[in-house]
Amino acid sequence: MKKLVVPLVVLVVILASTLGCGTSGGSRTATERISADDGGSVTSTDGALTLEIPPGALAENTRISIREVDPDDLPDEFAEVGEGMGYELEPEGLVFIEPVTVSLSLDPESLEAEGGDGYEVFALLSWSEANGVEPLDAMVLEISAAEGEATLLGELDHFSFIRRIKSGLEVSLEEVNREQPVGGRFSALLHIVNISDGVNPVFSDVHGAFHAYGTVGLNGSGDFTVAGEMGKDHFDFESGNFLCKDTPGIGSYGVQVHALYTSGGAQ
């Protein structure tokens, strides 16, 4: 089996939780005519994959299509990587003046790590005859378990096949009691683990920040940095300190994790 070499993939993971402070059949191809001046969007017939084309990204008005492709029908090189459904973006070979945003909606439960204590981080890959296998740019995975939502996003400047792949990173944010008293303080524990089974997998430049919104506030900046590289099975913990503000209501807390992933042959 071919080894996938993915150098310098930037992954950003956002975990969020909400709490209260108080006392058919048919075609599998979706097509839209997109204006070069105004831009637009196209969503696959299964509702999972969406392309957002900004104004000025196209040289002329163009019919853009997303075709769902079963894993067994993907190009051989691409069928060996990733998992789940593949998508072919058409017209083939189209190049954009400005990058388009690709978003893939996922079920958070499908990302749960073995044992259910965290989430496995996925990335988006593209494949084309001209460029082979490539990671998308500006990848972000947003997970909100409380809302039952997860979205994987990236940017693309040319058309190709799209598929998701496990990155080898596992993250978890400790859940707290969803009913907190006004003025109360609480901490949430972040756990980051390298679970990759690739060749010489390394995560570097691991850093991020805790965030709070609504009636939940944050003590301090919330920034954190993991020193050095995360080799196989290496893990770190960081704690964020939050508080419920003086007014009862709904708030949320979360964390954003940034990591640089490299995997390749022996060095």
Side-chain angles (χ1 to χ4, degrees), residues 18 35-36 47 82 93 98 123 139 143 169-170 203 208 212 222 238 256 266:
T18 303
S35 164
E98 299 289 340
M139 277 186 285
I143 303 172
L169 191 69
E170 180 182 309
F203 288 95
E238 293 286 346
Q256 178 172 308

Side-chain angles (χ1 to χ4, degrees), residues 135-204:
L136 270 65
D137 293 328
M139 277 186 285
V140 175
L141 174 61
E142 297 180 350
I143 303 172
S144 177
E147 301 298 329
E149 298 175 349
T151 306
L152 182 55
L153 303 104
E155 292 184 350
L156 191 66
D157 62 8
H158 61 276
F159 264 180
S160 56
F161 287 85
I162 296 290
R163 201 179 191 195
R164 70 177 188 175
I165 185 174
K166 291 182 179 180
S167 73
L169 191 69
E170 180 182 309
V171 294
S172 60
L173 181 62
E174 183 179 87
E175 289 283 340
V176 301
N177 192 322
R178 293 191 180 179
E179 292 295 330
Q180 296 285 332
V182 166
R185 297 174 183 269
F186 62 94
S187 295
L189 190 66
L190 171 66
H191 189 189
I192 309 172
V193 186
N194 180 352
I195 58 171
S196 174
D197 59 0
V199 179
N200 295 331
V202 171
F203 288 95
S204 58

Side-chain angles (χ1 to χ4, degrees), residues 73-150:
D73 296 328
L74 289 167
D76 291 343
E77 182 182 0
F78 205 42
E80 294 180 358
V81 301
E83 63 176 46
M85 182 67 69
Y87 299 88
E88 184 176 14
L89 312 182
E90 298 172 320
E92 181 181 354
L94 179 65
V95 176
F96 292 93
I97 300 169
E98 299 289 340
V100 304
T101 298
V102 180
S103 61
L104 181 65
S105 296
L106 302 168
D107 179 356
E109 291 186 1
S110 71
L111 307 179
E112 288 184 356
E114 190 172 342
D117 294 330
Y119 296 96
E120 290 194 53
V121 178
F122 280 76
L124 285 171
L125 294 181
S126 70
W127 179 89
S128 64
E129 288 280 1
N131 299 289
V133 177
E134 298 178 300
L136 270 65
D137 293 328
M139 277 186 285
V140 175
L141 174 61
E142 297 180 350
I143 303 172
S144 177
E147 301 298 329
E149 298 175 349

